[in-house]
Amino acid sequence: AFARLREQRPARLIILGEGRDRAELEALAGELGIAGDLDLPGFAANPYPFMARADLFALSSAWEGSPNVLTEALALGTPVVATDCQSGPRETLAGGRYGPLVPVSDAEVLGRALAETIAAPPSPAFLQEAAAPFEAEASARAYLAALGIHPEPTP
């Protein structure tokens, strides 16, 4: 998908973390002709500076539970694109309201969504709306309500 984006515009891909597939990722980047636009800095104890400065955050998962990293990107006001894998992204992005949802393993559609979102990003304030239900206070209220507990509001 990133290679398709690079066909349309200059871009740089940063993948944080470290894993056993690093050599395969580097080889694939070479095959796709994007090695010069790929940074693999490894583990970052604090990924937020990377996410906050990014023009876009892409979540290309084949499966998810609750994609916290997607919520964190939204909280930072960073535009997102996510695969519509089972459980997680669809709920977090309100069915695509806060960012495009694309089919899993469809590099063509993902590449188009990346390009379109970079060309016309939503405002940070709009994206931060999506993260508001996940803030500690809102989560605690929702949890208590699910338990049937309705505390009195504090003055």
Side-chain angles (χ1 to χ4, degrees):
F2 180 74
R4 291 182 186 353
L5 172 66
R6 281 294 294 117
E7 291 170 0
Q8 299 176 38
R9 58 168 293 140
R12 191 172 101 189
L13 175 63
I14 299 173
I15 301 176
L16 299 178
E18 196 61 59
R20 64 180 180 267
D21 295 331
R22 182 186 188 101
E24 289 176 40
L25 281 174
E26 291 171 333
L28 179 59
E31 290 171 27
L32 295 173
I34 61 166
D37 299 314
L38 173 65
D39 289 326
L40 299 170
F43 174 76
N46 181 3
Y48 300 126
F50 289 92
M51 294 167 68
R53 293 186 60 208
D55 292 327
L56 178 79
F57 178 83
L59 181 73
S60 59
S61 299
W63 61 89
E64 278 292 335
S66 177
N68 291 336
V69 69
L70 188 59
T71 305
E72 292 165 339
L74 291 166
L76 292 167
T78 302
V80 300
V81 173
T83 49
D84 194 11
C85 59
Q86 191 172 24
S87 179
R90 177 166 287 280
E91 294 82 3
T92 303
L93 297 179
R97 178 170 186 234
Y98 294 105
L101 291 161
V102 302
V104 173
S105 299
D106 192 330
E108 185 70 36
V109 175
L110 179 55
R112 268 198 314 271
L114 296 173
E116 290 168 4
T117 304
I118 288 173
S123 76
F126 175 73
L127 297 171
Q128 289 164 337
E129 281 178 20
F134 299 96
E135 292 175 0
E137 203 171 297
S139 293
R141 278 194 308 272
Y143 185 71
L144 291 172
L147 294 173
I149 301 169
H150 303 286
E152 296 295 319
T154 55

